[in-house]
Amino acid sequence: MRIFSLLVASLGLAAGVLALSTPFQQQLNSLDGPVHTTNSWGYEDCGLDTDPIQIDSIEVSPDPPQPGQDLTVKVKAKVTEVIEEGAYADVTVKLGLVKLLHKRFDVCEEARAANASVRCPVQPGPYTVEQTVALPKEIPKAKFTVDVLGYTAEEGDMLCLKLKVDFMKRPFPRLW
């Protein structure tokens, strides 16, 4: 059940649907993790400590994401309780305040369709999921947000993520 792949899949689905697909990294609070040199993308884990899926980290490559290039998203997370068939995620993609997409995804079905390495039922434990999606070169120069709310088959909270990507910024300043 690549619930993390759900995350990545939702990013990939958002990419295909609207030419976007990247997460937003938390503020750099220590030097223990990877150094994030741009603020063109990031994520906020808005879930609770009791949610069955706890996100440890999200990395993207290239960093920052580039229109017209493949984007690889690597998610590390812990599952604290079994995730069963029927788990789903509501994904909302916005451009500013304008909602561009709102869709519900069956997490287990998406994992099967993507031939993911993690399948339902997902047992408790640590997981790393990596997925690559093609970003269209026609991505508009804009700031996008992706909200992912995941729910268990029993309708309980499973995870919450707020992702953002800013395709308006240049990765490097102009020199001329």
Side-chain angles (χ1 to χ4, degrees):
M1 174 256 59
R2 85 192 174 172
I3 205 64
F4 326 116
S5 282
L6 135 74
L7 206 157
V8 175
S10 66
L11 293 176
L13 290 161
V17 171
L18 108 93
L20 137 74
S21 162
T22 30
F24 172 158
Q25 186 164 331
Q26 295 173 332
Q27 295 287 353
L28 180 64
N29 293 326
S30 71
L31 295 177
D32 296 340
V35 176
H36 187 71
T37 58
T38 67
N39 62 355
S40 64
W41 72 273
Y43 74 92
E44 174 190 348
D45 182 347
C46 50
L48 303 172
D49 292 341
T50 56
D51 286 350
I53 297 179
Q54 299 292 314
I55 304 298
D56 293 327
S57 66
I58 300 174
E59 299 173 20
V60 300
S61 177
D63 181 4
Q66 299 296 310
Q69 293 185 11
D70 285 352
L71 174 70
T72 300
V73 181
K74 183 178 182 179
V75 180
K76 292 183 182 181
K78 289 183 211 82
V79 174
T80 60
E81 62 185 66
V82 176
I83 306 297
E84 298 178 356
E85 291 286 340
Y88 65 95
D90 289 330
V91 177
T92 304
V93 180
K94 294 184 268 184
L95 174 60
L97 297 175
V98 178
K99 189 185 300 184
L100 299 173
L101 168 74
H102 179 78
K103 187 164 181 171
R104 180 167 285 178
F105 295 95
D106 180 309
V107 173
C108 299
E109 190 166 312
E110 290 295 322
R112 283 189 295 276
N115 201 21
S117 59
V118 181
R119 304 275 177 103
C120 291
V122 178
Q123 299 301 315
Y127 291 88
T128 299
V129 176
E130 191 170 309
Q131 183 171 340
T132 300
V133 295
L135 293 180
K137 63 182 173 186
E138 298 82 11
I139 294 175
K141 292 185 179 192
K143 295 178 184 180
F144 297 93
T145 60
V146 180
D147 294 332
V148 180
L149 298 173
Y151 301 95
T152 65
E154 296 80 28
E155 302 285 327
D157 291 342
M158 187 169 60
L159 82 126
C160 175
L161 283 173
K162 292 184 180 292
L163 313 157
K164 80 168 190 169
V165 63
D166 184 351
F167 284 106
M168 294 173 60
K169 298 183 184 242
R170 294 181 162 276
F172 305 104
R174 282 192 169 173
L175 300 175
W176 54 89

